[in-house]
Structure formats: structure tokens, C-alpha cells
């Protein structure tokens, strides 16, 4: 990946932005986007209060957020004045509130209704602990929450409700944990060691630890997703109407009255975030009702299908936590589909058409709004049978002949206007090779294969509502079991693109680094970025399922991921832009070992032992030469705590690089004598200690920003954000990284092996899918370097990128977890840390 350009620290804009209280890094970040930077510059120059230098750092950050939000809207100057005033008056105290305020004034011009504004933007929001506890208790009772396994999903769901949107996230989390304790008892993992036999303690630890593969456990998803709303109102198996009652009886005899669903992707591209909802709905609904779900490849268009997509689809479904009952292909049924097409002709419900594509469009009313009969519509049945056979035998070239269904041209639904059932294609098929010269269309294949596979619930998105009529018509026309098609709203993520064609243009043009570029929202890209599969399933489940299209901002998706990681990701000390610190009152050879928890609230994640020495590194932004009353980190005259260290440090002096003029080293004193006043804040650090391999030097830290400037991108190249990829070299991580990485991969491999063995025993993935190229469940599909995830304390959440080379991960389990010659460490930032509106440090 090429290194992106960054604003020059000497840029006048950077200096201007620093003048309002921003740090160097935040000022450079604010200068990245030309549009928002221009608005921020105008605000500073137009408002004396902003440019006076009297803003505290938090307010300055909110002004930057306001400029960014204004860059995406057409808010007038009067409304802008109003918004700036609300920030300066401390009415708006978080970025989320600023975003909500901008959206509010887009539709409510000044003067606004203050009470309405305050309600919509969370101004003055308050909720007592008793009120919060009451809401949570009612939620747990009314949503059928089953166990501690639902903790993350419940927290996310409650945070998404209007009543608790502005509640302090930590207060909500603590209250939910309290409610769970009162409802389900204390979490087993929290019991003191030694009180329970070792054998009984294992399941508790498993519940709390980070796991790749927990999403398909129905107990981890709140029950209301499948019991209420759209999914809760679906028919019971066998209740869907049939033209012939014997079809119902035969269907129930096969399914035993169980739910049978299918996930039927076209193998012509990689799955994206929108597909995660379809996977969750189809596999999740079947699993919840103890039914079965097929993975069926809809491989009826050999011109666009490639083997890599078949493999990727199965791998992605399994990565999300689901196991197909069977893997099938539409092509498994080509012989049966052909026979049904012949039967359709014999029943005078189909005919062979020789019209051009343009003529077919005219006949179907695409040019004038009303259909008209094709000139071939009433040809004799015997003639269509002969012509269809000729099509099969290769007499016609593509577009010279089509088999069309004889539907109802008087119907108001265009899906009943003689749809094409078969067309001629010269392309060999990946499984049937040159056997067929004709291939069935989606409109002909989908419903009939659903019928053949005894699908009880054909679940699809609402763009297929009009197709339901033709779906049912065709099943009845050939006298087969008629499944019930039900449609739910699709999931769209604003601020990105999901079109295969548009993403292909970015990939082929070199604007992104492949389909798994972490700036994209294909599922393989999210996986590479480090997003846990359970976080995606939790996100989808909390959105619910209805007939309305769900349009979600990227920020809300990232917040859901952040909440999931908060309670599952181990925490390591990390410094992205290191500044050397020398502790003058420690000897040159001083070293002590500090044992620190990998997560203060999840003791099952264990601990790490790190060295503490005379020379350490801190984040460069954690030191200032100019102090201020609202700044609590290191500065002349200031004392600051070090996470995990026994004593705080106090500034003594500093050294400046003679070339750059930047601070190169800070000299401090360890407050290890006499009574010590507790510092107001703590900062992260890593020690220099070659003997223990400290620090771990990160070769590349990749920071991903939004790929597009606009909220609703069309995929146009001019809309690409030029600085969407930031590569930082030389970040430092504590030595606990190596053991964590090794342990994460070993545990992921163990779980993947167990899951794959279980899938082989319980599922029938080889009954119909017997081709040599059929993908099969393997352990390797579930294991990747992205399984190594952690929170860099006060920095963000990170995962190991596939470009990394770590010899200790590739070697045997007994191989020491440490840096080896040739190692190359690449980290991807998954998401930033959640905003804490209560602190400015």
C-alpha cells in the first residue's frame, strides 16, 4: 500500500487550527479535507470567541466536528451561528450531539423550538439510576433475554433506543450488568479462583473470552428478532396455500413440519455488508426454529461465475458463524428444470420466441407502458417443443431464440408479462461444462428449485415483491409444491458503495488495493480489517427485521463494533507516535517486572508481564510545553500517572532536536519517595528493554478513513477522499503482544477444528454437491491473522493484517512467542475508541 500524503505541519492551516486549542495531530487531521478545512477556517476567522484561544480542547474538537458536518449539508449562516453558540455555551458536549444538531437545523430553521431542539440533541439529558434500572429490567423481561451470552447484544440494543440514546454508555453498561446479575445470578467467570472445581470453571471462562465463532448460537441473539415483527408473523410450515393439497402433505412428510430456508447467492462477486442481513435472516431463522438452511449457489449465468467466488461465499458464511445443512447448486437441477420447461410448453404456458431484444422490450411495454402479445405467442405447442429442443441442441446463437412464459398480459404487474424462462448461451458451465447450450433464468429457476428443495420459507428482500406473483404462478402452472415467498427490507450502509460493478472499477483502476481493502465494506474487507464476525451479527440483530429498508450511517455500524470489542478485546499498552522519556532518578540498568491485567473487567483474558526501566516511551501528544488549566497530561510543572506503574512521574526538563526544533526527549522524576498525591490522569507507555524484546516495533500501522467524501456516493472517482489511508511507521506495543498473538491463533485453530468436525458430522454437504470443484468446510476457512485483536490503550482497536509475517505464528504451538528474524508486523485499526464526553485528556 502506498503511503498517503499528509498535511505539512508547517501548513498555515495547521497553525491556525492549533491556535484554537487542537493538538498537532488533531490540527493535521482537521486540515485533511479541503471542504471541511475551509469551513473551519471561516469559522475561526469569523468568530472572535473561537479565535481568542480561550476554548478548551474539548470545545475545539466539537468545532472541528461541526465543520465536518457542515461540509456535507447546505445549512445557512444563521443556523451555523446558532450551532456555534450552543457549543460555546456548553449545551452541546459530544460529537454525536453536534451531528444531531446539524441534522435538526437542516429541517428546522432559526428561530428553533428550543425544547424540541434540546430533546432531539440530548441537551440537558438526565436519567436517574433508578429510572435506568427500571428500563433495563423491563427490557430483559419483555425481550426474552436468555443468558449472559446476550450481554453485548442487549447493551447495543438499549443504546440504540431513543430513550437511552444520550445516556452515558458506561452507566448503561454497568446497569445492564447489574440487571443480568439480578436476573441470571453472578457471572460464573467472576467467581473467586479455587471456589469451584477446575472442570466447572472452564465454561465460564469460555463465555467471557474473545471468540471468533459465537454468532450462530441463538441464545446470543435477543429472541424478539425471530419472535416479533416481520419474522414473528411468518406462517408456520405447511400453512402456505397450495393449489393441490397433496403437495402440502408431501412437503410435510419430507420436512417433518420444520422450517427449511436457503441462502441463494449468485457466485459472481464477493458478499458485502448487506448480505450479512440475508445470511442472518435465513440461517438464523432456521436455527432458531431448529430447522435447516441450504447454501445454494444460483449458478445459472456461466458468463459471470468464477471458482473464487464459490469458495469465498462458503468461507464468509462460516466466518459469520453459520453452517449450511447442505451445499447445493441450481445447476444440480438442470435436468429437472428442463423437464419442467417442457411440461410448461405442453400445458400451453410457454412458447419459443425469436424476437430481438428490442422487440421483446417493446412487447413487454418497456417503451410504452402497456404490453402486447408477441407474434410467436400463439404458435402451436408442437412447434414450440421442436424449437425448444433445437435451442437445447445448439441450433441457435445467443439472442436468436428464447423460451418465454405465457402469463397474463392483462395483469397490472410487469412480472406477469411473459418473462423469459430460458436463453441461449455459448459459455461453458463450471460444473456441467458443454452439456447445455441453454440456461434457465432467475425467474424460472428460483421458485422451482425452492419447490424441489422443499423450502418452507423463501425469504428475500423487498425488491422481489412484484416477483412473488410470478413465483406462485409458475409453481402452480407446472403443478408442484408452492413455497411461500416473504420479503423484508434490505440493509444499506450510507457513505460507501456495495455495487459489484462500482467496486470492480475501483479495484481495476488501482484506487483500492483489492476487494479486501479494509476501506471497503465487502465482508472479506471487514474481516481483513479485523471486525469480529460476532460484532456484525450483533449489529444486524439489533437493527431488527421489517419490510422497511434500513439505511444506516457508517458511524453507527462502527459504534456497534466498538461496543462489541469493548468487552472482548484484550488491552495492551501502545504508543503510535513515540516520544522518549528518561527517568533521571532510576539507575541505567534498572528493570522491574509489572504484571498487568489484559482487561480490568474480564479477568479470564489473563495478564501480561512487562518491563519497567529508566527509558520509556510515551505518546508525543501526551506532552506539551504550554500548559493549560484543562490539560492534565505531562507538561512543565505537571505530574502524570503511568498505566500499571507503581508511581507517577513529574516533569524535570526536555531536549529539543536541533534540526526540527521538535521535542526529542523529556526528562522526568519518578515519585517513588514519600507520600504521593494521586495524579489526575494516566497515560500509556512502553519501556526500552532489549533483553525482553521491549518494545515491539510495528512496521506499519494502517489507519483507515472514509473512502468517499459524500454521504451517498455514486462511486465517482472525483468523490474519493485522497487521504483515506494513513500509514504510520514506528508505533510501539508492549511485549505482551507476542504471547497474545500466539494464544489467539492457537485458540482460533482449536475452535475452528471443533466447528468443522461438528459440521462434518451434522450436515450433508456432499449429497448433491459431488463436483470436484465443490467447496467444502475446512478449518483453514475460519483462521486468519485478523483473529489477533486488541485494544491499544487510549489509542484504538487493532488487528493483525494478512501482510504481516510472524514466524512464531506459523511454527509449532511450542515455539516461543517472540520476534524472529524476518518478522514484519502490520496492524490495521479496526475502529477508534469510543468518545468519552466526560474527559478532555
Amino acid at each position: 500500500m502506498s503511503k498517503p500524503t499528509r498535511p505539512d505541519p508547517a501548513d498555515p492551516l495547521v497553525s491556525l487550527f492549533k491556535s484554537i486549542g487542537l493538538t498537532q495531530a488533531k490540527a493535521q487531521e482537521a486540515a485533511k479535507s479541503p471542504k471541511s478545512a475551509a469551513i473551519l477556517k471561516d469559522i475561526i476567522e469569523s468568530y472572535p470567541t473561537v479565535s481568542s484561544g480561550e476554548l478548551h480542547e474539548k470545545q475545539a474538537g466539537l468545532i472541528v466536528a461541526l465543520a465536518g458536518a457542515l461540509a456535507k449539508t447546505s445549512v445557512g449562516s444563521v443556523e451555523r451561528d446558532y450551532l456555534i453558540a450552543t457549543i460555546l455555551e456548553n449545551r452541546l458536549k459530544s460529537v454525536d450531539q453536534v451531528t444531531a444538531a446539524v441534522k435538526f437545523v437542516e429541517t428546522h430553521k432559526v428561530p428553533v423550538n428550543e425544547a424540541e431542539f434540546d430533546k432531539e440533541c440530548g441537551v440537558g439529558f438526565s436519567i436517574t439510576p433508578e429510572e435506568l434500572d427500571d428500563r433495563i429490567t423491563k427490557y430483559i423481561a419483555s425481550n426474552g433475554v436468555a443468558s449472559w451470552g446476550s450481554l453485548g447484544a442487549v447493551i447495543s440494543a438499549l443504546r440504540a433506543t431513543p430513550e437511552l440514546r444520550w445516556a452515558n454508555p458506561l452507566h448503561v453498561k454497568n446497569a445492564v450488568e447489574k440487571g443480568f446479575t439480578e436476573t441470571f445470578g453472578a457471572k460464573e467467570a467472576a467467581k473467586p479462583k479455587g471456589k469451584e472445581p477446575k472442570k466447572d470453571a472452564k465454561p465460564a471462562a469460555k463465555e467471557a473470552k474473545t471468540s471468533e465463532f459465537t454468532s450462530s448460537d441463538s441464545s446470543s441473539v435477543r429472541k424478539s428478532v425471530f419472535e416479533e415483527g416481520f419474522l414473528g408473523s411468518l406462517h408456520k410450515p405447511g400453512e402456505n396455500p397450495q393449489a393441490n393439497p397433496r403437495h402440502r402433505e408431501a412437503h410435510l412428510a419430507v420436512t417433518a413440519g420444520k422450517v427449511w430456508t436457503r441462502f441463494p447467492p449468485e457466485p459472481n462477486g464477493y458478499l458485502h455488508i448487506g448480505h450479512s442481513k440475508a445470511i442472518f435472516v435465513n440461517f438464523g431463522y432456521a436455527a432458531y426454529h431448529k430447522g435447516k438452511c441450504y447454501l445454494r449457489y444460483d449458478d445459472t449465468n456461466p458468463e459471470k461465475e468464477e471458482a473464487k467466488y464459490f469458495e469465498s461465499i462458503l468461507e464468509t458464511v462460516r466466518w459469520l458463524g453459520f453452517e449450511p445443512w447442505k451445499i447445493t447448486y441450481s445447476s444440480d437441477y438442470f435436468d429437472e428444470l428442463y423437464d419442467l420447461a417442457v411440461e410448461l410448453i405442453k400445458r400451453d404456458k410457454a412458447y419459443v420466441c425469436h424476437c430481438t431484444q428490442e422487440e421483446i422490450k417493446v412487447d413487454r411495454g418497456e417503451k410504452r407502458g402497456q404490453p402486447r402479445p408477441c407474434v410467436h405467442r400463439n404458435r402451436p405447442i408442437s412447434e414450440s417443443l421442436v424449437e425448444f429442443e433445437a435451442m437445447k441442441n445448439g441450433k441457435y446463437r445467443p439472442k436468436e431464440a428464447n423460451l418465454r412464459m405465457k402469463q397474463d398480459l392483462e395483469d397490472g404487474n410487469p412480472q406477469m408479462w411473459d418473462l423469459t424462462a430460458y436463453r441461449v448461451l455459448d459459455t461453458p458451465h463450471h460444473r456441467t461444462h458443454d452439456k447445455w447450450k441453454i440456461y434457465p433464468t432467475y425467474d424460472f429457476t428460483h421458485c422451482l428449485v425452492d419447490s424441489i428443495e422443499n423450502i418452507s420459507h423463501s425469504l428475500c428482500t423487498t425488491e422481489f415483491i412484484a416477483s412473488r406473483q410470478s413465483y406462485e404462478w409458475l409453481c402452480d402452472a407446472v403443478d408442484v409444491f408452492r413455497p411461500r415467498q416473504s420479503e423484508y427490507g434490505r440493509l444499506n450502509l450510507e457513505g460507501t458503495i456495495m455495487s459489484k460493478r462500482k467496486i470492480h472499477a475501483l479495484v481495476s483502476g488501482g484506487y483500492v488495493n483489492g476487494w479486501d481493502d479494509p476501506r471497503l465494506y465487502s465482508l472479506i474487507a471487514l474481516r481483513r480489517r479485523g471486525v469480529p464476525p460476532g460484532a456484525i451479527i450483533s449489529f444486524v440483530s439489533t437493527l431488527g427485521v421489517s419490510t422497511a429498508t434500513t439505511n444506516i450511517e457508517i458511524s453507527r455500524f462502527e459504534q456497534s463494533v466498538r461496543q462489541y470489542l469493548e468487552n472482548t478485546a484484550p488491552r495492551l499498552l501502545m504508543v503510535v507516535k513515540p516520544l522518549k522519556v528518561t527517568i533521571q532518578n532510576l539507575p541505567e540498568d534498572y528493570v522491574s517486572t509489572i504484571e498487568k491485567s489484559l482487561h480490568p473487567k474480564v479477568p479470564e483474558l489473563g495478564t501480561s508481564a512487562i518491563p519497567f526501566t529508566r527509558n520509556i516511551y510515551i505518546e508525543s501528544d501526551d506532552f506539551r510545553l504550554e500548559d493549560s488549566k484543562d490539560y492534565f497530561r505531562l507538561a512543565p510543572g505537571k505530574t502524570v500517572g503511568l498505566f500499571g506503574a507503581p508511581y507517577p512521574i513529574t516533569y524535570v526538563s526536555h531536549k529539543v532536536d536541533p534540526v526540527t526544533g521538535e521535542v526529542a526527549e523529556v526528562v522526568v522524576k519518578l515519585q517513588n519517595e514519600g507520600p504521593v498525591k494521586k495524579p489526575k490522569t494516566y497515560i500509556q507507555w512502553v519501556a526500552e528493554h532489549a533483553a525482553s524484546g521491549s518494545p515491539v516495533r510495528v512496521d506499519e500501522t494502517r489507519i483507515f478513513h472514509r473512502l468517499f467524501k459524500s454521504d451517498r456516493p455514486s462511486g465517482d472517482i472525483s468523490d474519493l477522499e485522497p487521504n483515506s489511508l494513513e500509514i504510520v511507521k514506528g508505533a510501539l506495543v508492549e511485549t505482551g503482544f507476542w504471547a497474545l498473538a500466539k494464544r489467539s491463533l492457537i485458540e482460533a485453530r482449536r475452535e475452528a477444528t471443533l466447528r468443522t468436525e461438528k459440521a462434518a458430522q451434522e450436515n450433508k454437504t456432499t449429497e448433491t454437491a459431488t463436483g470436484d470443484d465443490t467447496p467444502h468446510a475446512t478449518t483453514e476457512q475460519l483462521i486468519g491473522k485478523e483473529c489477533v485483536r486488541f485494544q491499544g490503550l487510549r489509542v484504538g482497536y487493532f488487528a493483525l493484517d494478512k501482510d504481516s509475517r510472524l514466524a512464531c505464528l506459523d511454527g509449532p504451538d511450542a515455539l516461543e512467542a517472540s520476534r524472529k528474524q524476518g518478522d514484519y508486523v502490520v496492524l490495521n485499526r479496526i475502529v477508534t475508541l469510543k468518545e468519552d464526553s466526560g474527559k478532555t485528556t
Side-chain angles (χ1 to χ4, degrees):
M1 295 186 178
S2 58
K3 186 174 181 178
T5 57
R6 289 178 52 78
D8 188 336
D11 185 334
L13 276 182
V14 175
S15 299
L16 176 65
F17 295 166
K18 286 178 65 179
S19 71
I20 68 171
L22 296 176
T23 64
Q24 178 76 26
K26 289 182 179 179
Q28 286 182 259
E29 185 73 22
K32 275 186 176 182
S33 172
K35 192 172 182 180
S36 59
I39 294 174
L40 180 58
K41 178 176 180 290
D42 183 55
I43 290 175
I44 295 172
E45 294 175 344
S46 303
Y47 297 86
T49 308
V50 176
S51 60
S52 65
E54 297 179 359
L55 297 184
H56 54 68
E57 186 178 344
K58 178 181 167 185
Q59 282 182 315
L62 295 180
I63 294 293
V64 173
L66 174 63
L70 292 175
K72 303 170 187 176
T73 65
S74 55
V75 170
S77 58
V78 176
E79 284 71 34
R80 186 174 80 166
D81 292 346
Y82 176 77
L83 294 174
I84 292 172
T86 59
I87 293 175
L88 298 179
E89 293 166 1
N90 284 321
R91 292 174 62 198
L92 300 180
K93 299 180 179 180
S94 73
V95 173
D96 281 347
Q97 286 182 307
V98 170
T99 303
V102 172
K103 288 187 177 180
F104 183 88
V105 299
E106 279 188 277
T107 54
H108 301 75
K109 302 302 179 185
V110 172
V112 301
N113 182 313
E114 295 288 343
E116 188 177 351
F117 176 86
D118 289 355
K119 180 181 178 182
E120 287 297 315
C121 304
V123 176
F125 173 87
S126 65
I127 184 170
T128 66
E130 293 74 20
E131 291 171 332
L132 184 57
D133 289 344
D134 182 60
R135 287 187 185 277
I136 289 169
T137 300
K138 289 179 179 177
Y139 182 90
I140 292 173
S142 63
N143 286 273
V145 178
S147 70
W148 276 94
S150 306
L151 181 66
V154 170
I155 292 173
S156 298
L158 285 166
R159 290 280 296 123
T161 61
E163 297 85 358
L164 297 180
R165 179 183 176 188
W166 304 112
N168 184 298
L170 183 59
H171 293 170
V172 173
K173 175 179 174 296
N174 291 340
V176 172
E177 289 179 343
K178 176 185 175 185
F180 270 53
T181 301
E182 293 173 350
T183 305
F184 308 119
K187 200 171 185 179
E188 295 244 352
K191 292 181 180 179
K193 293 181 180 179
K195 293 292 179 90
E196 296 287 339
K198 186 175 182 181
K199 183 177 179 180
D200 294 332
K202 274 190 174 181
K206 182 177 178 63
E207 182 178 13
K209 71 175 179 56
T210 303
S211 174
E212 288 294 296
F213 319 116
T214 58
S215 57
S216 63
D217 180 359
S218 60
S219 68
S220 68
V221 178
R222 58 192 179 97
K223 289 186 178 180
S224 61
V225 175
F226 300 118
E227 287 185 343
E228 298 177 353
F230 170 81
L231 293 176
S233 65
L234 294 177
H235 67 282
K236 289 183 173 60
E239 288 184 353
N240 45 312
Q242 299 296 322
N244 190 325
R246 65 182 173 83
H247 294 317
R248 177 186 295 106
E249 295 167 6
H251 166 73
L252 293 175
V254 173
T255 65
K258 297 290 187 180
V259 169
W260 283 24
T261 62
R262 80 289 172 272
F263 174 59
E266 297 177 74
N268 60 4
Y270 295 102
L271 303 182
H272 55 65
I273 184 68
H275 288 111
S276 65
K277 183 174 183 178
I279 293 170
F280 170 76
V281 167
N282 282 284
F283 282 95
Y285 185 73
Y288 182 76
H289 290 284
K290 304 188 186 310
K292 299 173 179 178
C293 183
Y294 291 86
L295 169 59
R296 182 205 305 155
Y297 295 110
D298 186 20
D299 59 340
T300 58
N301 188 357
E303 293 180 333
K304 296 183 178 180
E305 294 155 5
E306 294 185 46
K308 62 183 180 181
Y309 299 134
F310 291 89
E311 294 285 351
S312 176
I313 288 169
L314 174 60
E315 185 172 314
T316 299
V317 168
R318 299 194 69 226
W319 175 69
L320 285 175
F322 300 103
E323 297 291 349
W325 174 55
K326 287 185 181 180
I327 298 174
T328 61
Y329 300 78
S330 293
S331 60
D332 288 336
Y333 310 103
F334 275 178
D335 288 317
E336 292 169 79
L337 292 172
Y338 177 79
D339 291 341
L340 288 170
V342 171
E343 180 65 25
L344 197 64
I345 297 171
K346 290 179 178 179
R347 291 171 180 245
D348 198 22
K349 296 292 185 181
Y351 59 94
V352 173
C353 164
H354 296 284
C355 295
T356 65
Q357 296 300 301
E358 190 65 24
E359 289 169 338
I360 292 175
K361 287 181 181 179
V362 173
D363 285 349
R364 294 197 72 251
E366 293 186 25
K367 296 294 179 72
R368 56 193 185 89
Q370 291 296 324
R372 68 186 183 190
C374 167
V375 295
H376 307 99
R377 195 173 200 262
N378 293 319
R379 72 193 311 172
I381 291 173
S382 59
E383 194 174 299
S384 281
L385 287 171
V386 170
E387 289 297 292
F388 189 48
E389 179 75 12
M391 286 172 61
K392 180 173 81 77
N393 293 335
K395 176 180 177 180
Y396 296 107
R397 302 286 298 164
K399 301 182 181 179
E400 290 181 351
N402 299 282
L403 181 68
R404 295 177 63 187
M405 293 178 267
K406 191 184 290 187
Q407 296 172 286
D408 185 358
L409 300 180
E410 300 299 320
D411 196 288
N413 184 353
Q415 286 297 107
M416 292 297 291
W417 295 349
D418 290 12
L419 297 173
T420 298
Y422 268 84
R423 75 281 199 207
V424 177
L425 293 175
D426 278 339
T427 309
H429 192 274
H430 72 106
R431 300 184 76 238
T432 60
H433 308 297
D434 295 325
K435 177 180 177 179
W436 296 94
K437 302 297 182 184
I438 55 173
Y439 292 93
T441 62
Y442 172 88
D443 292 305
F444 185 81
T445 305
H446 190 63
C447 61
L448 294 181
V449 175
D450 276 356
S451 178
I452 294 168
E453 293 187 337
N454 275 291
I455 300 304
S456 64
H457 295 76
S458 182
L459 306 174
C460 58
T461 47
T462 51
E463 61 261 40
F464 294 101
I465 286 178
S467 297
R468 189 200 309 164
Q469 187 176 354
S470 61
Y471 180 109
E472 296 178 349
W473 175 90
L474 181 54
C475 288
D476 290 344
V478 292
D479 191 24
V480 296
F481 169 71
R482 183 209 304 166
R484 165 69 182 183
Q485 176 179 299
S486 301
E487 308 86 10
Y488 58 89
R490 67 185 300 164
L491 169 62
N492 294 324
L493 208 58
E494 296 181 353
T496 188
I497 57 173
M498 299 189 199
S499 162
K500 296 169 187 172
R501 177 180 57 82
K502 294 176 181 179
I503 295 177
H504 182 269
L506 295 180
V507 173
S508 60
Y511 298 102
V512 294
N513 299 287
W515 287 83
D516 65 348
D517 187 306
R519 291 169 290 181
L520 297 173
Y521 282 80
S522 62
L523 289 171
I524 59 171
L526 292 174
R527 177 176 182 174
R528 179 178 180 181
R529 183 166 140 190
V531 176
I536 295 175
I537 294 301
S538 176
F539 167 69
V540 172
S541 70
T542 54
L543 294 176
V545 181
S546 70
T547 56
T549 298
T550 304
N551 295 304
I552 298 295
E553 295 178 346
I554 287 177
S555 59
R556 183 172 172 187
F557 169 70
E558 291 186 340
Q559 176 62 9
S560 181
V561 174
R562 191 177 292 117
Q563 290 172 342
Y564 185 92
L565 288 167
E566 182 180 1
N567 293 317
T568 59
R571 300 179 182 183
L572 301 179
L573 295 174
M574 179 179 184
V575 174
V576 178
K577 297 178 181 177
L579 173 62
K580 184 177 181 180
V581 173
T582 298
I583 305 174
Q584 68 172 17
N585 58 329
L586 289 181
E588 290 282 352
D589 59 351
Y590 177 85
V591 59
S592 64
T593 300
I594 294 174
E595 185 174 359
K596 55 173 281 294
S597 170
L598 288 175
H599 197 300
K601 295 184 179 180
V602 189
E604 299 77 33
L605 291 177
T607 61
S608 65
I610 57 175
F612 181 67
T613 61
R614 173 183 170 88
N615 295 315
I616 64 173
Y617 295 92
I618 66 171
E619 194 70 53
S620 59
D621 278 349
D622 284 339
F623 175 72
R624 271 191 197 175
L625 287 175
E626 297 179 8
D627 193 12
S628 62
K629 61 182 181 181
D630 63 327
Y631 180 79
F632 303 114
R633 287 167 281 169
L634 196 59
K638 281 281 177 68
T639 296
V640 68
L642 301 173
F643 279 113
Y647 303 105
I649 55 175
T650 300
Y651 170 88
V652 174
S653 64
H654 68 276
K655 300 175 183 178
V656 175
D657 187 310
V659 177
T660 65
E662 297 288 327
V663 175
E665 182 181 351
V666 179
V667 179
V668 300
K669 179 181 179 181
L670 189 69
Q671 299 296 325
N672 58 350
E673 296 179 358
V676 180
K677 184 179 179 182
K678 183 178 179 180
K680 291 186 176 181
T681 195
Y682 289 79
I683 62 175
Q684 75 272 27
W685 55 278
V686 289
E688 182 75 55
H689 186 241
S692 61
S694 180
V696 177
R697 300 186 186 277
V698 181
D699 297 281
E700 291 185 37
T701 303
R702 296 172 181 172
I703 310 296
F704 308 106
H705 304 287
R706 287 186 57 155
L707 185 58
F708 294 97
K709 301 172 187 174
S710 60
D711 285 337
R712 294 176 176 83
S714 64
D716 190 271
I717 302 304
S718 63
D719 191 32
L720 287 173
E721 172 59 59
N723 298 307
S724 60
L725 171 63
E726 177 184 353
I727 299 179
V728 179
K729 294 183 180 292
L732 306 176
V733 183
E734 65 164 271
T735 54
F737 167 80
W738 295 111
L740 172 65
K742 183 82 171 179
R743 186 168 66 250
S744 297
L745 261 293
I746 290 174
E747 182 60 27
R749 187 174 293 108
R750 186 189 67 81
E751 290 192 40
T753 301
L754 291 174
R755 259 193 63 189
T756 303
E757 290 174 350
K758 182 180 180 182
Q761 294 170 0
E762 296 182 354
N763 301 321
K764 303 176 181 180
T765 58
T766 59
E767 282 193 359
T768 56
T770 56
D772 292 339
D773 57 352
T774 297
H776 296 285
T778 66
T779 298
E780 289 70 26
Q781 291 166 341
L782 304 177
I783 303 170
K785 291 187 173 74
E786 76 283 344
C787 295
V788 180
R789 301 184 190 89
F790 65 91
Q791 181 197 113
L793 207 62
R794 296 182 66 239
V795 180
Y797 292 99
F798 296 87
L800 198 62
D801 186 76
K802 70 176 189 179
D803 288 343
S804 300
R805 299 188 302 273
L806 279 71
C808 71
L809 300 187
D810 299 327
D813 291 353
L815 183 65
E816 180 190 9
S818 61
R819 192 165 201 132
K820 312 296 181 185
Q821 185 173 2
D823 280 359
Y824 192 82
V825 181
V826 181
L827 296 179
N828 293 330
R829 188 176 72 182
I830 307 171
V831 286
T832 59
L833 291 178
K834 67 180 182 181
E835 179 189 40
D836 187 345
S837 59
K839 296 181 181 179
T840 61
T841 59

